[in-house]
Amino acid sequence: MNTFFSQSVWLVPCYPLLGMGLSALWMPSITRKTGPRPAGYVNMLLTLMALVHSCLAFIERWEQPALKPSLTWLQAADLTLSIDLDISSITIGALILIAGINLLAQLYAVAYLEMDWGWARFFATMSLFEAGMCALVLCNSLFFSYVVLEILTLGTYLLIGYWFNQSLVVTGARDAFLTKRVGDLFLLMGVVALLPLAGTWNFDGLAEWAATAELDPTLATLLCLALIAGPLGKCAQFPLHLWLDEAMESPVPATVVRNSLVVGTGAWVLIKLQPIFALSDFASTFMIAIGATTALGAAMVAIAQIDIKRSLSYSVSAYMGMVFMAVGSQQDQTTLVLLLTYGVAMAILVMAIGGVVLVNISQDLTQYGGLWSRRPITGICYLVGAASLVALPPFGGFWSLAQLTTNFWKTSPILAVILITVNALTSFSIMREFGLIFGGKPKQMTVRSPEGLWALVLPMVILAGFALHSPFILAKLNFLPDWHQLNLPLAAVLIISTMVGGGTAMYLYLNEKISKPIHIFSDPVREFFAKDLYTAELYKNTVIFAVALISKIIDWLDRYFVDGVINFLGLATLFGGQSLKYNNSGQSQSYALSIVAGILLFIAALSYPLLKHWQF
Amino acid sequence: MQLEYILVLAAALFCIGIYGLVTSRNAVRVLMSIELLLNSVNLNFMGFSNFLDPSEIKGQVFTVFVLTVAAAEAAVGLAIILAIYRNRNTIDMEQFNLLKW
């Protein structure tokens, strides 16, 4: 068995890193004359190499045991930091997904950023992302997973801040960086606390340790909560979800990658840490509760949005909430399938939306209408993406959602109900977008709406083809659940919920007789969801307020108290000098007096011991 | 007649001299106060020489030196006062406060 490609699979993250370095050559300040386009082409070439390499390695590793090479990175005293890799068919499969979607997103960006001069910066950051994600899935060490997650956080900041002359971009990038950073810092606490307990950061070693570990329950709970907090921020879960909404200020190709893949990185780490979460029941419950809250809340918020990109971003949060629920209930395999089908479906949706936004300028759903006859490919791709996202057999999303619902029904039916509700809400929101964009009559912004260039449409169509084949692919990979394992009535309910959600949306938004905008709820309720549960205000009035207040107090203390004490010493010395100089009165007689006084004092001091014994 | 009385007298004379030295406004009177100080010192020397060292009377030799030096000092002092007087037309000590802060 030839293992050349799987043994050199660590090169896959290196290709995009090389691309990142090379694209700097086409910075406008370096290549001043010939434009930035080669940066994109070079990166696409290297991503293609990464994809081909991963595919060849996948063929080699298929149904083979995992390779686990290890390389010492740093050895200091009794701490050894080794870069452990996990080269199995699952990780290489993830590499294929990452490289594939990145390649398509980069091709998409070639069309989308046609009128942009910043290709070098854009493609360099995209490649940084790709390299980071590839490194993350290959990495078998919690410590290096954390390192990569931090690099991805920095990448998010740079990528959202791509058009930095727009003020909303700057605030969005700031929020994305800080929110994810907070989660990462909690994760770091967990990572650091884990080493003395487990003695290793290797995921296999951690699993071995967790199998027999006997921890104090409080310690285990706190540890697990810290480990959850990192992915919590990464996956845009409540209450660290606002950044994803504001991250929609970045260019659409970046959004494709972020919404489909990057938010999954947190889930990936969660799955890898699964054995540790088994130590604490509370942590699992917490994960499920967070996931369920986010799934329900974000699905409702998505319905109330009028910005098309933001509406999709809340669906992302909702799906990541379902992933949290799945991980919290120890369903790793199903979670992986869900991440795979979700990633493909969401990438299609975002690409379709990006094509519409690029041509019609507006992102406002209320400004759209009547694109179906003019943009059939985009419309069909959108429908394929929507079908793959929600539970609609035989498309991809159905299988994992059905499996999840079945499993939840056995343990806690309430979760199954939540899952079905979220599915219905997501179907409603996705079909609402469809109805508003493609249905109805053309409005001013959409009167002339040509289909995009080939590079804009091709990646979307390829992904749609992939999504349509996903049942076969899943079957080939033995990822499909058996029919007899599934709770068929429950699956039927799931399908009905999809139908009801999507059907209601279609009825409401494709029906000309119902006047738009539609008022389903009363104004305060709609406002509540449209403003994302007032999360921005919540942040502003709690954490930001407290931190700003404490900063101001500390600044004040530093300025006036700490500085003041030292300045007071200086001032006192100055004042002392200025006032004591008047002792030099210029009168020699006063000098004589002070000499005499000094001598008298000296004598008094000398004779003080004698005076004490004076006997009168 | 005891040594202590002499010493106390000399000390009193010294204190009077110090008082005069510090309070006088007339520069000549300051010199006169210095003479009082020196004389009180001489009294000490003479007293110690009589009561403690009657055989070799080194104190008296010192007294002779002090007298000599005091005369010289008074001469120089008066010359300085005269020099200042020539410049500033006064011998008021309170006018000589040019070298202050």
Side-chain angles (χ1 to χ4, degrees):
Chain A
M1 183 76 201
N2 185 12
T3 57
F4 172 73
F5 287 108
S6 50
Q7 286 196 328
S8 60
V9 81
W10 53 270
L11 276 170
V12 170
C14 299
Y15 298 131
L17 266 188
L18 179 66
M20 185 186 84
L22 286 179
S23 34
L25 292 178
W26 286 278
M27 290 273 200
S29 53
I30 294 173
T31 300
R32 289 169 179 270
K33 294 200 172 156
T34 51
R37 299 186 70 94
Y41 304 149
V42 164
N43 273 299
M44 279 175 65
L45 183 69
L46 286 163
T47 308
L48 182 67
M49 281 171 70
L51 180 62
V52 170
H53 193 146
S54 322
C55 287
L56 292 174
F58 187 74
I59 296 168
E60 276 177 16
R61 277 272 66 89
W62 180 239
E63 291 184 336
Q64 299 285 323
L67 295 176
K68 308 222 166 181
S70 173
L71 175 77
T72 303
W73 181 60
L74 175 79
Q75 194 157 24
D78 50 353
L79 176 71
T80 307
L81 291 177
S82 55
I83 304 178
D84 305 329
L85 297 185
D86 179 10
I87 303 173
S88 64
S89 50
I90 290 184
T91 58
I92 299 179
L95 281 186
I96 295 176
L97 181 72
I98 292 166
I101 290 191
N102 263 289
L103 182 63
L104 295 175
Q106 287 177 355
L107 178 59
Y108 186 82
V110 166
Y112 196 89
L113 296 179
E114 178 79 44
M115 303 289 195
D116 199 287
W117 49 264
W119 281 33
R121 204 151 45 87
F122 180 80
F123 279 95
T125 332
M126 286 282 274
S127 284
L128 174 68
F129 253 118
E130 191 192 340
M133 283 186 289
C134 290
L136 179 74
V137 293
L138 281 181
C139 178
N140 196 27
S141 149
L142 180 58
F143 181 76
F144 284 97
S145 298
Y146 173 76
V147 170
V148 174
L149 283 182
E150 285 289 359
I151 294 173
L152 289 180
T153 305
L154 176 68
T156 310
Y157 180 72
L158 295 175
L159 205 46
I160 299 173
Y162 176 59
W163 289 313
F164 51 77
N165 56 354
Q166 298 181 22
S167 57
L168 282 179
V169 166
V170 177
T171 55
R174 174 200 66 191
D175 291 353
F177 184 73
L178 292 179
T179 316
K180 289 173 82 169
R181 198 86 180 78
V182 167
D184 285 343
L185 280 182
F186 276 107
L187 178 62
L188 181 60
M189 291 183 205
V191 170
V192 171
L194 204 52
L195 187 66
L197 294 172
T200 176
W201 275 319
N202 184 298
F203 283 123
D204 300 326
L206 287 176
E208 247 171 61
W209 165 75
T212 56
E214 284 180 11
L215 277 187
D216 178 42
T218 324
L219 176 63
T221 305
L222 287 175
L223 179 69
C224 292
L225 287 184
L227 291 175
I228 292 171
L232 188 92
K234 275 272 178 262
C235 292
Q237 295 297 292
F238 187 81
L240 301 179
H241 61 283
L242 189 67
W243 71 268
L244 192 63
D245 172 274
E246 295 183 57
M248 293 301 117
E249 298 292 340
S250 64
V252 175
T255 311
V256 172
V257 172
R258 179 169 43 251
N259 280 11
S260 51
L261 298 177
V262 176
V263 287
T265 55
W268 181 270
V269 174
L270 277 186
I271 294 173
K272 288 269 192 180
L273 287 175
Q274 189 67 271
I276 296 180
F277 296 134
L279 289 176
S280 162
D281 287 339
F282 180 79
S284 302
T285 320
F286 178 77
M287 228 186 305
I288 293 175
I290 285 285
T293 316
T294 314
L296 272 179
M300 307 261 254
V301 171
I303 293 173
Q305 298 296 309
I306 59 163
D307 183 314
I308 173 64
K309 288 175 79 180
R310 278 152 210 262
S311 185
L312 276 182
S313 86
Y314 282 106
S315 295
V316 171
S317 281
Y319 262 79
M320 286 298 125
M322 291 203 232
V323 167
F324 258 63
M325 287 162 73
V327 178
S329 53
Q330 277 95 36
Q331 304 177 52
D332 295 349
Q333 170 118 348
T334 321
T335 317
L336 285 174
V337 179
L338 181 63
L339 281 174
L340 171 69
T341 54
Y342 155 81
V344 173
M346 187 49 85
I348 300 171
L349 290 178
V350 179
M351 281 183 180
I353 293 311
V356 172
V357 169
L358 183 65
V359 175
N360 294 313
I361 303 167
S362 172
Q363 296 185 17
D364 190 340
L365 277 171
T366 60
Q367 307 284 326
Y368 285 135
L371 286 183
W372 179 252
S373 55
R374 263 93 37 78
R375 307 284 299 268
I377 304 178
T378 308
I380 291 169
C381 287
Y382 186 96
L383 281 183
V384 170
S388 316
L389 191 67
V390 296
L392 190 67
F395 299 101
F398 168 73
W399 303 103
S400 44
L401 287 177
Q403 176 95 58
L404 278 181
T405 321
T406 307
N407 292 346
F408 278 138
W409 188 256
K410 285 182 212 148
T411 51
S412 52
I414 180 91
L415 292 179
V417 173
I418 289 177
L419 214 58
I420 293 169
T421 318
V422 171
N423 182 50
L425 289 172
T426 307
S427 314
F428 183 91
S429 113
I430 298 281
M431 287 320 285
R432 163 180 171 267
E433 285 150 26
F434 179 82
L436 283 172
I437 296 173
F438 294 97
K441 288 203 179 69
K443 297 200 179 125
Q444 206 170 12
M445 297 298 281
T446 59
V447 175
R448 293 182 195 85
S449 180
E451 192 65 89
L453 293 174
W454 65 271
L456 205 63
V457 179
L458 184 65
M460 183 165 69
V461 176
I462 293 175
L463 266 181
F466 192 76
L468 287 176
H469 283 83
S470 63
F472 304 112
I473 297 169
L474 291 179
K476 206 78 181 145
L477 297 177
N478 299 328
F479 275 167
L480 280 193
D482 291 333
W483 269 110
H484 59 265
Q485 271 183 5
L486 291 183
N487 187 335
L488 287 186
L490 211 56
V493 171
L494 199 60
I495 298 167
I496 291 169
S497 79
T498 311
M499 295 294 184
V500 168
T504 319
M506 290 229 239
Y507 171 74
L508 285 174
Y509 289 95
L510 292 177
N511 193 338
E512 298 288 320
K513 285 178 196 139
I514 298 173
S515 71
K516 314 287 185 305
I518 296 168
H519 295 276
I520 307 174
F521 296 110
S522 64
D523 279 352
V525 176
R526 204 184 58 230
E527 189 83 339
F528 179 66
F529 286 113
K531 294 248 173 92
D532 179 22
L533 324 179
Y534 296 112
T535 308
E537 278 77 12
L538 181 75
Y539 287 177
K540 213 174 278 172
N541 291 327
T542 53
V543 177
I544 297 178
F545 174 75
V547 172
L549 187 69
I550 293 170
S551 313
K552 272 186 199 144
I553 291 173
I554 290 176
D555 178 60
W556 186 88
L557 281 178
D558 186 39
R559 248 170 232 286
Y560 292 95
F561 188 72
V562 178
D563 285 6
V565 167
I566 303 300
N567 284 347
F568 173 76
L569 281 181
L571 272 180
T573 314
L574 207 61
F575 180 77
Q578 286 291 348
S579 53
L580 287 177
K581 73 181 180 186
Y582 295 109
N583 281 342
N584 280 350
S585 59
Q587 298 276 5
S588 38
Q589 284 169 300
S590 75
Y591 302 158
L593 179 64
S594 53
I595 291 171
V596 172
I599 292 170
L600 285 179
L601 277 177
F602 186 61
I603 291 172
L606 278 186
S607 53
Y608 180 69
L610 298 176
L611 286 175
K612 269 206 298 194
H613 301 293
W614 193 270
Q615 301 290 332
F616 284 104
Chain B
M1 199 64 171
Q2 287 177 4
L3 176 58
E4 282 90 343
Y5 296 144
I6 295 171
L7 294 187
V8 168
L9 176 70
L13 190 62
F14 190 85
C15 289
I16 292 165
I18 286 290
Y19 178 77
L21 174 76
V22 172
T23 55
S24 310
R25 294 184 63 178
N26 190 323
V28 178
R29 221 197 224 176
V30 173
L31 281 184
M32 288 160 69
S33 305
I34 292 173
E35 289 306 317
L36 282 186
L37 297 183
L38 291 168
N39 282 333
S40 76
V41 171
N42 285 342
L43 270 182
N44 269 7
F45 276 129
M46 295 303 285
F48 280 121
S49 145
N50 276 356
F51 285 91
L52 300 183
D53 187 24
S55 55
E56 291 195 357
I57 50 172
K58 282 176 253 172
Q60 294 187 15
V61 179
F62 272 115
T63 307
V64 170
F65 272 101
V66 170
L67 282 175
T68 327
V69 174
E73 174 252 305
V76 175
L78 280 170
I80 290 170
I81 288 170
L82 209 60
I84 292 174
Y85 177 73
R86 281 197 181 141
N87 274 324
R88 297 186 55 84
N89 260 336
T90 175
I91 51 167
D92 186 352
M93 287 298 281
E94 294 195 356
Q95 301 296 317
F96 302 151
N97 59 353
L98 300 175
L99 290 176
K100 55 186 174 189
W101 56 83

